[in-house]
Amino acid sequence: MHELGIANSVLEAVRVELGRYPGAIPVRVALRVGELAGVDADALAFSFRAITAGTEWESVALEIQTSPRQQRCPACGNAFRVIDYGFACPVCGAPRTECVGGDELELDYLELEEP
Ligand SMILES: [Zn+2]
């Protein structure tokens, strides 16, 4: 399962980050997932709970923020969200625009509690 691998990577990232703050307690980890990243947010949340249950990471809440697909118009520089597969530029009407966002999968922030 793809999402299980991602959940493990997230936990690994939390571990690495915690190494820089000895003694701190992780409270929340937030991920930004683009709608083009091919990640099922529910499955990812489930996987994360599954691998942290009964461990020292059990209290860490996973927050998943999805980000929409973004296009940019090379003609006028306008950046916009795609709604209903409308890829034409809403400002100047250029039919060809390029994808500049929405495929990201990254750690947004990690909330820690000082001991
Ligand atoms: Zn344009």
Side-chain angles (χ1 to χ4, degrees):
M1 195 169 145
H2 179 55
E3 281 75 12
L4 187 57
I6 297 169
N8 272 309
S9 308
V10 171
L11 194 53
E12 186 53 37
V14 170
R15 275 202 192 98
V16 169
E17 193 66 20
L18 273 183
R20 295 161 49 187
Y21 304 96
I25 299 155
V27 179
R28 182 189 307 274
V29 58
L31 278 187
R32 197 166 27 234
V33 179
E35 64 178 4
L36 301 177
V39 175
D40 182 330
D42 289 340
L44 179 53
F46 180 84
S47 299
F48 190 78
R49 273 199 306 274
I51 62 170
T52 55
T55 73
E56 58 186 310
W57 312 103
E58 192 165 24
S59 60
V60 183
L62 176 67
E63 197 173 296
I64 300 170
Q65 297 156 340
T66 51
S67 51
R69 175 169 191 164
Q70 269 224 336
Q71 296 284 119
R72 199 171 60 95
C73 174
C76 73
N78 175 48
F80 59 98
R81 284 176 58 167
V82 174
I83 296 160
D84 291 337
Y85 298 95
F87 296 124
C89 175
V91 171
C92 72
R96 281 211 187 157
T97 55
E98 53 199 21
C99 182
V100 291
D103 59 350
E104 59 270 53
L105 175 59
E106 57 194 22
L107 200 65
D108 193 7
Y109 66 85
L110 175 64
E111 196 180 310
L112 300 172
E113 207 163 80
E114 296 297 328

